[in-house]
């Protein structure tokens, strides 16, 4: 028997009660904050919130002033980490309008994450509506240029109970954070540390879903990467400890001298929307793309022989980050002499141009919010 959630209707439409903040941030303070927002520390004035209980299903949908949640110390999420999240961005077009990029894919992944974590599934229409409403009410917070508004939908188990079971109550919320370019100084190549002591995901585990617990478990490995002078950590598979999986929060691609691309197959990795978009765009342009396993030893030897031309990481926050150096306990190697590669940079431009509405959108990925 699975977990059952009776009150979910796939086509359910919830109407959001929109209550604009009575004392929004002044234009002067907002302008100052938008001048150099960095990543994830500046927030807009509002949030979207929807509640779930077994008795009422999803209810009480609101867009309201961003505020603290009142949580009982025995709230389930604080103890057993029944929590999932998403990350997507709103982009300002040159004509002043605003684009979302593939929000339907985030909504679907959120439902899959909820299913794996035995949480109440949120109708995809409610997810998208919540994101769109928040973008609209906080449109004054949209950065221009290469900035964007990072949207963070998430869901927490809200039942007050210390027993171990799926919660009977949930809070779904969306907050928004204006961000500048993710890596200061543009997409400079990153150095990555090969984690040999820690793994991220095993078959049957939660590697393929976006849950906070995966991140909690990755922090020690990330700290080890920093200790070794690296920007990020790359994880290997949990069984043979040699197949490349992904970084703590980004998928990886390899570019070969025959012009082909390789990326690790789905399974224990997070099915990135950026990953999927890159595969599609690469195939559009006639490149061969393989979703195949690749070992750390092969990576090292291909980098040495020149068969491997480039490697890059990808995800919504940073789009594409070239990988310049790989470090591990058994030695270091560089890729493309530590410089950003043309395939990575070309792919980055292609994606970003679609996101900001500067290029054609042949796959209908863009959803205009404003
Ligand atoms: C979110 C995430 C990614 C990237 O997914 P996108 O949909 O491209 O943003 C990759 N790996 C992990 C572990 C993630 O959590």
């Amino acid at each position: 028997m699975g977990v059952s959630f009776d009150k979910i209707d796939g086509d359910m439409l919830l109407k959001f009660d929109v209550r604009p903040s009575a004392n929004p941030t002044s234009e002067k303070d907002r302008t100052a904050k938008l001048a150099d927002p960095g990543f994830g520390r500046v927030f807009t004035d509002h949030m979207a919130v929807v509640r779930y209980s077994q008795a009422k299903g999803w209810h009480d949908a609101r867009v309201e002033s961003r505020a603290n949640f009142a949580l009982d110390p025995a709230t389930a999420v604080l103890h057993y980490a029944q929590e999932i999240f998403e990350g997507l961005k709103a982009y300002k077009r040159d004509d002043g309008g605003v684009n979302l990029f593939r929000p339907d894919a985030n909504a679907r992944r959120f439902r899959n994450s909820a299913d794996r974590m035995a949480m109440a599934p949120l109708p995809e229409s409610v997810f998208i509506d919540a994101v769109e409403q928040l973008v609209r009410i906080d449109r004054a917070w949209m950065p221009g240029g290469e900035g964007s508004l990072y949207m963070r939908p998430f869901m927490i188990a809200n039942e007050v109970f210390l027993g171990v079971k799926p919660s009977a109550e949930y809070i779904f919320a969306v907050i928004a954070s204006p961000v500048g370019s993710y890596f200061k100084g543009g997409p400079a190549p990153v150095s990555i540390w090969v984690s040999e002591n820690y793994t991220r995901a095993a078959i049957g585990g939660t590697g393929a879903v976006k849950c906070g617990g995966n991140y909690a478990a990755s922090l020690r490995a990330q700290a080890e990467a920093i200790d070794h002078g690296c920007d990020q950590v790359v994880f290997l598979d949990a069984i043979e400890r040699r197949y490349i999986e992904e970084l703590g929060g980004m998928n990886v691609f390899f570019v070969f001298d025959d012009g082909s691309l390789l990326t690790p197959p789905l399974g224990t990795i997070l099915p990135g929307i950026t990953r999927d978009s890159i595969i599609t765009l690469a195939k559009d342009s006639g490149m061969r793309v393989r979703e195949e396993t690749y070992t750390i030893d092969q990576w090292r030897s291909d980098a040495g022989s020149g068969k491997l031309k480039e490697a890059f990481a990808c995800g919504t926050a940073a789009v594409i980050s070239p990988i310049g150096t790989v470090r591990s306990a058994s030695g270091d190697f560089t890729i493309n002499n530590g410089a950003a590669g043309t395939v990575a940079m070309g792919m980055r431009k292609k994606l970003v141009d679609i996101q900001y509405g500067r290029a054609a959108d042949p796959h209908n990925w863009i959803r205009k919010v404003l």
Side-chain angles (χ1 to χ4, degrees), residues 83-324:
E83 187 270 357
I84 57 172
F85 66 96
E86 271 301 327
L88 70 164
K89 285 173 166 178
Y91 308 87
K92 195 172 197 166
R93 298 192 306 274
D94 287 341
D95 67 5
V98 176
N99 287 347
L100 286 172
F101 183 72
R102 307 186 69 180
D104 52 321
N106 294 94
R108 200 176 322 122
R109 189 168 66 188
F110 197 67
R111 260 190 98 109
N112 291 340
S113 296
D115 183 65
R116 174 63 183 82
M117 301 298 282
M119 302 172 86
L122 181 77
E124 290 167 29
S125 59
V126 176
F127 179 102
I128 294 171
D129 198 16
V131 170
E132 291 192 347
Q133 299 255 10
L134 188 59
V135 170
R136 286 200 194 99
I137 198 166
D138 281 331
R139 63 182 301 175
W141 289 90
M142 280 293 316
E146 288 294 293
S148 55
L149 192 59
Y150 184 79
M151 311 301 293
R152 169 52 62 86
F154 62 102
M155 195 203 302
I156 59 172
N158 192 38
E159 185 175 353
V160 178
F161 181 48
L162 291 183
V164 179
K165 68 157 187 83
S167 175
E169 290 169 36
Y170 297 93
I171 297 173
F172 166 70
V174 189
I175 55 174
S177 173
V179 297
S181 200
Y182 188 71
F183 289 117
K184 288 196 196 80
V190 295
S191 53
I192 63 171
W193 171 252
V194 182
S195 181
E196 285 167 11
N197 293 325
Y198 306 101
T199 58
R200 174 184 175 276
I203 292 160
T206 58
V209 306
K210 230 169 161 65
C211 63
N214 288 344
Y215 278 75
S218 77
L219 296 177
R220 189 63 189 78
Q222 175 65 24
E224 199 179 78
I226 303 283
D227 285 347
H228 288 89
C230 292
D231 302 306
Q232 302 270 327
V233 61
V234 63
F235 289 99
L236 304 176
D237 77 284
I239 298 175
E240 298 191 36
R241 310 291 282 265
R242 61 196 186 105
Y243 297 110
I244 308 293
E245 295 231 311
E246 63 173 313
L247 275 52
M250 287 194 272
N251 298 117
V252 277
F253 278 85
F254 304 92
V255 185
F256 296 94
D257 58 358
D258 63 358
S260 69
L261 279 181
L262 183 150
T263 192
L266 297 180
T268 51
I269 64 167
L270 197 285
I273 295 162
T274 316
R275 173 187 180 280
D276 183 75
S277 305
I278 289 168
I279 291 172
T280 303
L281 291 177
K283 286 181 176 168
D284 282 355
S285 65
M287 290 173 91
R288 191 159 74 95
V289 185
R290 291 175 289 151
E291 293 179 67
E292 289 172 13
T293 55
Y294 193 59
T295 65
I296 179 67
D297 292 336
Q298 194 67 44
W299 188 2
R300 184 183 285 109
S301 99
D302 289 346
S305 72
K307 187 165 181 269
L308 181 82
K309 289 295 177 197
E310 304 178 28
F312 60 86
C314 67
T316 295
V319 195
I320 284 177
S321 297
I323 296 171

